[in-house]
Amino acid sequence: MNQTDPILWLQLQEQIVACERCPRLRAYCAEIARIKRAAYRDWEYWGKPVPNFGDPNGRLMLVGLAPGAHGSNRTGRMFTGDRSGVFLFRALYETGFASQPEGDRPDDGLRLHDLCITATNHCAPPDNMPNADEIANCSEYLVRTFALMPNLQGVVALGKIGFDSVVRFYLEQGWIETKRGLKFAHGALYTFERAPFILCTYHPSQQNTFTGRLTMEMFLAIFRQAAGMLR
Ligand code: SF4
């Protein structure tokens, strides 16, 4: 198995954390960190762009939308600290990609195996909706994340925005010639000659998990399928 350059990986994470390209998002994250939610008033919120989390030498990448305002914008670690993360990490633990089924604090020992978690945007957006300029601003980090994962074989796209950002990247790379026929749907799987596969899942937001649109069984099936496809 190839190894990424740990210095370049660290530099990427440091540049993400220091990024100020999107004034609206930076102001929003800082304001959320200042006001806080009552339940977390004792927390020192992270309030900055959230770096990638996981194993850059892994074979699988998970691409979400963006940090949650009181989740990873609070903890500083992708997908931890809110209900979406609770759902996700339970599934990752059950399928062997995480060392434990939960993690709320950065020092809780949670580790990922063979997997790195990233997002279309590294800053929490108001109403979970980055605008087109903000998505474009952050796309460089996705490009560099791909470039620094030498063993990557597949991507799990958590929701349509994550899926669209990966497809856009594949087009820009010339790995695919068209996005015709590539549509987001839960369970949709796309394989390519020159690019890692993309497996789609509904995002584990409360909107989906509380309504039963995404059940744990459905979610586990996605990660079992992804694991089974890794060579
Ligand atoms: S969303 Fe991305 S590009 Fe925009 S400020 Fe945050 S890290 Fe920078």
Side-chain angles (χ1 to χ4, degrees), residues 149-206:
M149 291 189 67
N151 304 306
L152 191 63
Q153 295 179 16
V155 174
V156 172
L158 284 183
K160 184 175 185 309
I161 291 180
F163 173 75
D164 287 345
S165 62
V166 176
V167 169
R168 198 177 312 112
F169 167 69
Y170 283 11
L171 278 168
E172 288 165 2
Q173 293 297 301
W175 289 349
I176 58 174
E177 289 175 0
T178 175
K179 62 179 180 181
R180 206 175 310 126
L182 299 178
K183 288 200 168 48
F184 177 81
H186 181 79
L189 170 67
Y190 300 103
T191 57
F192 310 96
E193 265 180 37
R194 291 190 285 162
F197 68 78
I198 307 176
L199 179 57
C200 302
T201 170
Y202 291 142
H203 191 283
S205 65
Q206 288 184 66

Side-chain angles (χ1 to χ4, degrees), residues 61 65 69 81-82 103 109 113 119 141 144 149 156 167 177 192 195 200 218-219 227-228 231:
M61 176 194 288
L65 164 58
D82 56 18
H113 306 305
Y141 299 130
R144 291 171 62 190
M149 291 189 67
V156 172
V167 169
E177 289 175 0
F192 310 96
C200 302
M218 291 165 66
F219 209 38
R231 299 182 300 276

Side-chain angles (χ1 to χ4, degrees), residues 15-26 29 48-50 66-67 119-125 130 133-141:
Q15 286 170 13
I16 291 171
V17 170
C19 183
E20 300 273 357
R21 283 183 198 155
C22 307
R24 184 182 80 113
L25 301 191
R26 296 304 315 115
C29 292
K48 291 174 282 194
V50 178
T120 300
N121 280 89
H122 287 264
C123 294
D133 285 345
E134 291 158 351
I135 289 174
N137 286 346
C138 218
S139 62
E140 178 204 326
Y141 299 130

Side-chain angles (χ1 to χ4, degrees), residues 72-84:
S72 46
N73 185 53
R74 173 172 58 92
T75 65
R77 194 173 53 180
M78 278 284 175
F79 256 104
T80 57
D82 56 18
R83 288 184 188 274
S84 298

Side-chain angles (χ1 to χ4, degrees), residues 12-13 18 44 60 78 91 129 133 140 143 180 193 212 216-217:
L12 172 59
Q13 311 320 313
E44 183 80 28
L60 194 66
M78 278 284 175
M129 193 50 71
D133 285 345
E140 178 204 326
V143 172
R180 206 175 310 126
E193 265 180 37
M216 183 52 73
E217 263 320 301

